[in-house]
Amino acid sequence: MTPQRRHGLFAAVVTLLLTLGVASPQAAGADSPWWEPTARPAADSQINVTGEPFKGTDAQGKVRGFVDAHNHVMSNEGFGGRIICGKPFDEAGVATALKDCPEHYPDGALALFENVTGGADGHHDPVGWPTFKDWPAHNSLSHQQNYYAWLERAWRGGQRVLVNDLVSNGLLCSIYARDRGCDEMESIRLQARKTYEMQAYVDKIYGGPGKGFFRIVTDSAQARKVAEQGKLAVVLGVETSEPFGCKQILDVAQCGKDDIDKGLDELYKLGVRSMFLCHKFDNALCGVRMDNGTIGTAVNIGQFLSTGTFWATEQCAGPQQDNPAGNAQAPAEVTKLLPPGVKVPADNGGKCNTRGLTGLGEYAVKGLMKRNMMLELDHMSVKAASRTLDLLESANYPGVLSSHSWMDDSWLERLYRLGGFKASYMSSADSFAKESEGTRPLRQKYGVGLGYGTDMNGVGGWPAPGGPDAPNAVKYPFRSADGGSVIDRQKTGERTWDFNTDGAAHVGTVPDWVEQIRLSAGQAGKDTVQDLMSGAESYLTTWKATETHKASANLAAGAPASASSAEWNPFTSFAAGRAVDGDLGTRWASDWSDGQWLQVDLGATRTVGRVSLEWEKAYARGYRIEVSDDGKAWRSVWSTDKADGGLDTAVFAPVQARYVRMYGTARATKYGYSVKEASVFAG
């Protein structure tokens, strides 16, 4: 008998015993409380949480609870279906759901992805249910971590919002074992459908349609209602490398504007409400924030195989930077994929991707705003993120997210100022608490909470065990942060997970991790948990503001314009009116001296609170925005001496004025001042 069959026979015997009620609590009956299922299979994971989940809102009418802003519940269906082994649910039961990939048998030696990513020493026990000897584990990147009952435990422990990012990567699919095609959008469609099927599965266990804890929502009002009921609001997002087929090959885009519109419309109909425009590889929409170290070299090789180009780096123009690509040696299994004679470029010392947001990328950003969807900044290069923030600020658009610590922290205030939401990656409890302490003043300034992004099933790695004697060791049982439940060690089959010795092995250990945060870093840990408890409310506030956002009228469009001067050119006009004609292909350009100005007459006294300037390469380093009632007496409402060109937006306390002008005080180049388009808004 092969080792695989011995394991299978053993699992069958144990499953039979469990079915007879030997090692698992009996299925709940019809008189169960609302938070307990009425028909859970006898052979299934335990939850090990008692007590009624917190329902309703706090004294101020705000939702209390956590938000996991970045998870991949269905990524087992991505990447060709064979990177993440095991399923979050299966109609046939837990033994079928929590089963390893075929090539991992009999001893894990052929589990290429698992072994290359460091989750094992070249071998592991592939048996899942009921023994779980080697997986799931905090350092195993290829095994299911989002089984429905583990998600149930996270919910019972205080989580109220879950963002399920549908994810795939066509290249990774193409070079690994697979049982389906590698089209990323096909994978997204499948994962969306499977998420709805999982909702129906949970409903069946809980007694019928609408009764389960796992509730897919498509607007913030639905999500708030679900959270107030004490259940888990599930939001669909997308994080994939080639959305809408928008890859690039040798810097040539493989999609157009029609593909973007069609793709966004389709995603919206599927229920998707947030998305990334680029992920891991540069694509036709934007350059990526690069990975570093060994993983960075491996991903850079993938970038070459997918696009025909390696990452190109340069010195950063400002304080923000991408992860340095480095020149660490990649695993031999990855390096051998390169064509003969092709090598990863040596590190040139540059820490910023040369690629930013493309014209198609700008079209996609505006398409998301048009559909009132939320946009993820994480994984965008510094250039791409900066331009995206410029566009969002110009439109005063609040729907911007950073969900798992892949955004340069110095963008954080710009994100909060817009009304966006931030979640941090699920790092070690001490590290998470200290990071939270550093950004807490900004959260207090803007009155926002904090989320976490577990990135479960996302090939990232999770907090390792700290040991039972660590100062912040979890003491079981403990009470949930919302006070509603008592939580003990989690048990599935024959395996019991203790956070102190196992770390964050699966999503069901999130309540244990939150408890360890509470015990970490003194008062900072307690403050962090309180900020996490405000996370769901903040996320829903951002979503609501995104849904209700309406584009402001540009008061300067087609308005009479004048200027201090206009550069003479025998072939084209650089007159002031070219800056308010709605055409980015035309521009106003001044004489080559300081003290130049561009003025717009709004025709009548209007409320003015925001001015956007799309600069040509000849931009102002220093300038001020001035307003006037009569075009003669001017008062300054905003100024800067550190402008960086591109698209600038000046926001100030709304004032009443008929005339608005930009007055240049310092040129950034030897040329004059040149504005492609000037826009004026009420606020």
Side-chain angles (χ1 to χ4, degrees), residues 66 428-430 432-434 471-483 499 510-533:
F66 309 134
S428 70
D430 277 334
F432 193 94
K434 290 176 182 176
N472 60 357
V474 177
K475 296 176 176 60
Y476 295 94
F478 60 89
R479 188 164 290 277
S480 61
D482 62 15
F499 198 84
V510 167
D512 313 57
W513 172 71
V514 172
E515 172 66 4
Q516 192 170 75
I517 290 175
R518 188 183 70 82
L519 299 169
S520 299
Q523 188 60 41
K526 297 179 178 62
D527 290 341
T528 296
V529 172
Q530 291 308 306
D531 285 352
L532 288 173
M533 283 296 294

Side-chain angles (χ1 to χ4, degrees), residues 56-221:
T57 56
D58 65 14
Q60 288 75 45
K62 296 181 178 180
V63 169
R64 294 181 67 223
F66 309 134
V67 51
D68 183 351
H70 193 99
N71 196 325
H72 301 290
V73 178
M74 289 295 165
S75 66
N76 59 291
E77 303 291 354
F79 314 106
R82 296 277 279 277
I83 291 292
I84 305 299
C85 305
K87 306 174 185 178
F89 79 100
D90 193 287
E91 293 285 350
V94 65
T96 302
L98 297 180
K99 185 178 181 180
D100 215 339
C101 291
E103 63 272 17
H104 289 205
Y105 290 87
D107 63 356
L110 298 180
L112 177 62
F113 186 77
E114 175 76 1
N115 298 331
V116 166
T117 55
D121 61 359
H123 297 81
H124 71 269
D125 181 358
V127 176
W129 175 269
T131 55
F132 299 105
K133 180 177 182 293
D134 287 337
W135 65 270
H138 71 90
N139 59 344
S140 172
L141 306 190
S142 71
H143 290 103
Q144 181 60 240
Q145 297 175 296
N146 280 315
Y147 185 58
Y148 92 91
W150 299 338
L151 283 166
E152 184 178 353
R153 189 173 193 269
W155 158 62
R156 291 281 297 274
Q159 186 171 308
R160 293 296 173 268
V161 178
L162 167 69
V163 180
N164 176 25
D165 282 317
L166 315 176
V167 64
S168 196
N169 181 285
L171 177 76
L172 189 55
C173 168
S174 69
I175 63 177
Y176 198 69
R178 62 186 186 274
D179 53 22
R180 65 199 64 176
C182 294
D183 182 274
E184 292 185 11
M185 291 303 291
E186 281 294 332
S187 178
I188 297 307
R189 296 180 190 105
L190 173 62
Q191 292 175 57
R193 185 172 76 248
K194 286 291 185 179
T195 306
Y196 284 97
E197 289 177 8
M198 181 165 163
Q199 176 178 256
Y201 177 81
V202 174
D203 277 354
K204 182 173 66 175
I205 290 174
Y206 271 76
K211 294 187 176 181
F213 72 91
F214 188 91
R215 313 302 323 149
I216 300 170
V217 296
T218 56
D219 63 55
S220 64

Side-chain angles (χ1 to χ4, degrees), residues 154-350:
W155 158 62
R156 291 281 297 274
Q159 186 171 308
R160 293 296 173 268
V161 178
L162 167 69
V163 180
N164 176 25
D165 282 317
L166 315 176
V167 64
S168 196
N169 181 285
L171 177 76
L172 189 55
C173 168
S174 69
I175 63 177
Y176 198 69
R178 62 186 186 274
D179 53 22
R180 65 199 64 176
C182 294
D183 182 274
E184 292 185 11
M185 291 303 291
E186 281 294 332
S187 178
I188 297 307
R189 296 180 190 105
L190 173 62
Q191 292 175 57
R193 185 172 76 248
K194 286 291 185 179
T195 306
Y196 284 97
E197 289 177 8
M198 181 165 163
Q199 176 178 256
Y201 177 81
V202 174
D203 277 354
K204 182 173 66 175
I205 290 174
Y206 271 76
K211 294 187 176 181
F213 72 91
F214 188 91
R215 313 302 323 149
I216 300 170
V217 296
T218 56
D219 63 55
S220 64
Q222 288 179 346
R224 184 172 294 278
K225 183 177 180 180
V226 167
E228 289 174 350
Q229 291 172 345
K231 296 183 179 183
L232 182 65
V234 180
V235 186
L236 297 184
V238 165
E239 180 188 41
T240 197
S241 299
E242 300 166 7
F244 330 125
C246 283
K247 71 179 301 179
Q248 63 178 16
I249 299 176
L250 297 176
D251 293 325
V252 177
Q254 304 299 299
C255 71
K257 292 180 178 179
D258 288 346
D259 299 302
I260 294 170
D261 282 327
K262 181 180 177 181
L264 285 172
D265 287 341
E266 179 185 12
L267 290 180
Y268 195 90
K269 289 179 182 178
L270 287 173
V272 172
R273 293 297 180 265
S274 68
M275 74 174 298
F276 296 75
L277 293 182
C278 49
H279 180 233
K280 296 303 180 182
F281 303 156
D282 297 334
N283 63 24
L285 306 178
C286 48
V288 294
R289 183 180 173 106
M290 304 162 296
D291 289 80
N292 58 12
T294 299
I295 291 177
T297 305
V299 176
N300 200 9
I301 290 172
Q303 152 105 4
F304 176 83
L305 296 174
S306 177
T307 70
T309 60
F310 290 105
W311 289 324
T313 60
E314 62 186 1
Q315 296 298 320
C316 302
Q320 297 82 18
Q321 65 180 45
D322 298 321
N323 295 315
N327 55 1
Q329 185 66 41
E333 292 87 347
V334 179
T335 303
K336 70 181 182 182
L337 297 173
L338 287 171
V342 176
K343 296 182 179 180
V344 178
D347 185 0
N348 66 0

Side-chain angles (χ1 to χ4, degrees), residues 425-639:
Y425 191 83
M426 187 186 183
S427 57
S428 70
D430 277 334
S431 174
F432 193 94
K434 290 176 182 176
E435 178 187 347
S436 168
E437 184 179 27
T439 55
R440 194 158 198 263
L442 269 181
R443 289 197 298 279
Q444 291 176 322
K445 177 179 178 180
Y446 290 94
V448 296
L450 177 65
Y452 51 76
T454 62
D455 202 20
M456 291 288 173
N457 287 0
V459 194
W462 299 271
D469 298 323
N472 60 357
V474 177
K475 296 176 176 60
Y476 295 94
F478 60 89
R479 188 164 290 277
S480 61
D482 62 15
S485 303
V486 176
I487 302 171
D488 209 339
R489 293 173 180 83
Q490 197 279 317
K491 185 173 184 179
T492 304
E494 298 175 359
R495 177 72 186 273
T496 299
W497 277 276
D498 183 320
F499 198 84
N500 301 311
T501 55
D502 297 309
H506 58 69
V507 74
T509 62
V510 167
D512 313 57
W513 172 71
V514 172
E515 172 66 4
Q516 192 170 75
I517 290 175
R518 188 183 70 82
L519 299 169
S520 299
Q523 188 60 41
K526 297 179 178 62
D527 290 341
T528 296
V529 172
Q530 291 308 306
D531 285 352
L532 288 173
M533 283 296 294
S534 300
E537 175 65 33
S538 284
Y539 180 89
L540 297 179
T541 298
T542 292
W543 192 3
K544 176 66 173 179
T546 304
E547 292 171 327
T548 58
H549 179 269
K550 293 182 180 179
S552 300
N554 177 11
L555 305 177
S562 57
S564 54
S565 63
E567 181 182 340
W568 182 84
N569 186 294
F571 304 106
T572 189
S573 169
F574 294 126
R578 292 301 186 97
V580 291
D581 61 2
D583 184 357
L584 290 176
T586 64
R587 60 190 174 96
W588 163 71
S590 76
D591 288 345
W592 296 9
S593 61
D594 289 326
Q596 304 290 334
W597 50 265
L598 172 68
Q599 174 181 316
V600 179
D601 179 358
L602 303 181
T605 299
R606 309 291 293 271
T607 300
V608 177
R610 179 163 47 100
V611 174
S612 289
L613 300 170
E614 181 77 72
W615 294 96
E616 195 257 349
K617 292 181 180 179
Y619 68 95
R621 176 74 65 191
Y623 66 96
R624 59 181 180 259
I625 302 298
E626 299 178 329
V627 297
S628 173
D629 298 323
D630 56 8
K632 298 177 181 179
W634 296 90
R635 58 191 188 276
S636 177
V637 292
W638 185 92
S639 66

Side-chain angles (χ1 to χ4, degrees), residues 343-417:
K343 296 182 179 180
V344 178
D347 185 0
N348 66 0
K351 294 183 179 180
C352 278
N353 194 336
T354 60
R355 294 180 173 93
L357 193 68
T358 68
L360 286 174
E362 294 200 15
Y363 188 82
V365 170
K366 293 174 182 177
L368 287 166
M369 290 193 285
K370 178 181 177 181
R371 293 162 178 83
N372 296 92
M373 297 170 71
M374 292 179 284
L375 181 147
E376 291 265 10
L377 279 186
D378 286 9
H379 290 299
M380 279 187 172
S381 69
V382 162
K383 276 190 172 181
S386 179
R387 179 64 180 178
T388 299
L389 284 168
D390 286 345
L391 292 170
L392 298 177
E393 288 167 343
S394 176
N396 196 27
Y397 192 77
V400 56
L401 308 171
S402 174
S403 62
H404 65 327
S405 299
W406 270 82
M407 176 190 76
D408 192 293
D409 281 346
S410 62
W411 297 134
L412 188 54
E413 185 155 19
R414 293 181 72 180
L415 179 145
Y416 281 150
R417 191 183 298 123

